Amino acid sequence: MQETISFFSGFTPNDLWFLGEAALRTLWISALSITIGTILGGVFGWMLYEGKLTAALTLAPVLDIFRSVPLIIQLVLFYNFAPIVGLDLDPFGSGVVILTIYTAALVANVARGGIEAVGKPMRRAARSLGMSYWQDMRYVVLPIGGRAVFPAWVGVALGVMKDSALVSVLGYVELLKASQILITRTQEPFLILAIAGAFYFALSFPISRYAAKLEQRWAQ
């Protein structure tokens, strides 16, 4: 009698290590995109605040597109369009580009709100003390406005970290893609997804807790 050949195998410690490596890839692509996107978003927010009508007619519509179009559509379109214009990007590179622009589009309004949160009388007082425009931005607007919008920025950062799972549609083996691979092989979806969820929690919880402690320190 012939032995039955099984194409499936149970969950092993190596699979847990595989998910751990995928979690690090998720952390890496998220940290890179959030960092660069936050810097660009701060610049865009300043342009929206200072540019007024000009920025409203040029930059604002572009940012609205990236905020409004579903992220998965942006990823697929860019990944397939990039080679046409001569950009040789792998799934990781394409994911970083789109996640960065997406983050910048979200942070732009946050940054503009932070600048607007600083009252004009306070800014006039800073200028009357002899501060230049950029000194006013650095020593008055950034500390006060940054604290005002910090919770909103944390929400954006955590959201982008979770949205990075969509890069899996391009073939980048991050946490969600790794989970799909293991589910196909082990046929244990509940166990794999529970472990993946625990990894996402382990990545997100320290950020939210540190942000909460930082806010408490600022409130004292």
Side-chain angles (χ1 to χ4, degrees):
M1 183 176 180
Q2 293 182 346
E3 295 183 359
T4 302
I5 299 176
S6 176
F7 294 97
F8 308 111
S9 61
F11 188 79
T12 66
N14 287 335
D15 297 330
L16 183 61
W17 181 260
F18 179 61
L19 286 175
E21 291 179 334
L24 290 178
R25 294 192 192 98
T26 295
L27 180 61
W28 171 234
I29 194 172
S30 300
L32 192 59
S33 302
I34 292 169
T35 300
I36 302 175
T38 297
I39 296 172
L40 287 177
V43 174
F44 292 157
W46 172 78
M47 292 172 64
L48 289 174
Y49 177 80
E50 295 292 347
K52 305 299 182 183
L53 181 61
T54 302
L57 295 176
T58 55
L59 180 60
V62 176
L63 297 179
D64 286 338
I65 291 175
F66 284 97
R67 282 195 299 265
S68 303
V69 176
L71 183 58
I72 190 171
I73 295 178
Q74 297 180 41
L75 288 166
V76 174
L77 287 178
F78 180 79
Y79 184 64
N80 290 278
F81 181 75
I84 299 176
V85 297
L87 296 176
D88 185 17
L89 295 175
D90 58 5
F92 174 80
S94 298
V96 168
V97 170
I98 293 302
L99 284 175
T100 295
I101 299 175
Y102 179 69
T103 303
L106 297 176
V107 171
N109 276 345
V110 174
R112 180 175 62 177
I115 298 174
E116 293 175 347
V118 182
K120 290 184 177 180
M122 185 174 297
R123 299 194 64 183
R124 284 196 294 265
R127 299 301 290 274
S128 67
L129 292 175
M131 288 187 179
S132 66
Y133 174 84
W134 295 112
Q135 286 176 327
D136 169 34
M137 293 293 293
R138 177 180 178 183
Y139 296 109
V140 178
V141 175
L142 184 59
I144 298 176
R147 292 183 182 185
V149 299
F150 182 71
W153 177 84
V154 172
V156 170
L158 293 176
V160 171
M161 180 177 291
K162 290 181 288 187
D163 290 339
S164 67
L166 296 176
V167 184
S168 62
V169 301
L170 306 182
Y172 181 65
V173 185
E174 44 68 66
L175 191 51
L176 179 61
K177 185 67 173 181
S179 300
Q180 293 171 339
I181 294 172
L182 292 180
I183 288 172
T184 301
R185 203 201 73 221
T186 65
Q187 296 297 296
E188 298 182 16
F190 295 108
L191 174 62
I192 303 299
L193 291 178
I195 296 174
F199 273 117
Y200 275 115
F201 177 79
L203 294 175
S204 302
F205 184 72
I207 298 175
S208 60
R209 288 303 304 163
Y210 177 74
K213 289 184 178 180
L214 200 56
E215 289 182 63
Q216 291 177 356
R217 187 185 306 171
W218 286 342
Q220 293 175 356

